[in-house]
Every structure is written in C-alpha cells, then in structure tokens.
Amino acid sequence: GRLLVTRYDVYFIKDGKIIWEGKLLSDPVKEEDKIFVASGDYVFCAMSDGPVLWRQNIKNDGKLSITDGKVLVKAGGKDISLDPETGERL
C-alpha cells in the first residue's frame, strides 16, 4: 500500500482504496528517504514517495522520534522502541 500524509490527516491506501485514515497528531519524522508517522492507532514507515515499508498496530500518543538508531514511540506515557527497518519491537 501507499501512505498519503496531508497537513492534518494520514491515509493508508491499498489497491486504489482507502483502507485506513486517521488524524495526524504531530509532524512526521523524516530520515533520509523514509517518513515515520505515529497516528494514534498505527505507526507507519513509508518511503518519501509513498510506498509503505511497514506498519505496526500500536495505540500511541501521536509522537515519535528517532534516537540512537531506534524509532521511539510515545504510548501511554512510555517509550516503545522499534527497529526502523522492520518495525519490530526492540
């Protein structure tokens, strides 16, 4: 699928249909040619031109950062560490 990020919303599109949509709670984080988005229900990693590399179903506060080579997602006041390449929890 592909990720479409607007000023306020984020859309996950697959086979020409919107599979999921949500609010953009904070600005996406860009690193090299990838974009990381925490949207409240999911954490996405997509290429800058849209194709989704991975998504994780993690209830989150909408804030993430890249620190020490890890994606840190705020969820319920705690940090969840994810591998930036695979999205797997560390």
Side-chain angles (χ1 to χ4, degrees), residues 29-66:
V29 173
K30 188 171 182 180
E31 184 172 89
E32 296 174 9
D33 58 346
K34 296 178 185 165
I35 297 173
F36 297 89
V37 178
S39 64
D41 294 319
Y42 290 98
V43 178
F44 290 94
C45 174
M47 297 299 291
S48 298
D49 60 350
V52 172
L53 300 174
W54 55 260
R55 74 174 166 160
Q56 285 288 358
N57 186 357
I58 298 172
K59 292 277 185 200
N60 61 77
D61 302 344
K63 297 177 183 144
L64 65 77
S65 61
I66 308 268

Side-chain angles (χ1 to χ4, degrees), residues 66-84:
I66 308 268
T67 307
D68 298 326
K70 299 175 193 161
V71 177
L72 297 179
V73 182
K74 293 279 187 198
K78 297 179 184 175
D79 282 335
I80 296 175
S81 296
L82 302 175
D83 182 312

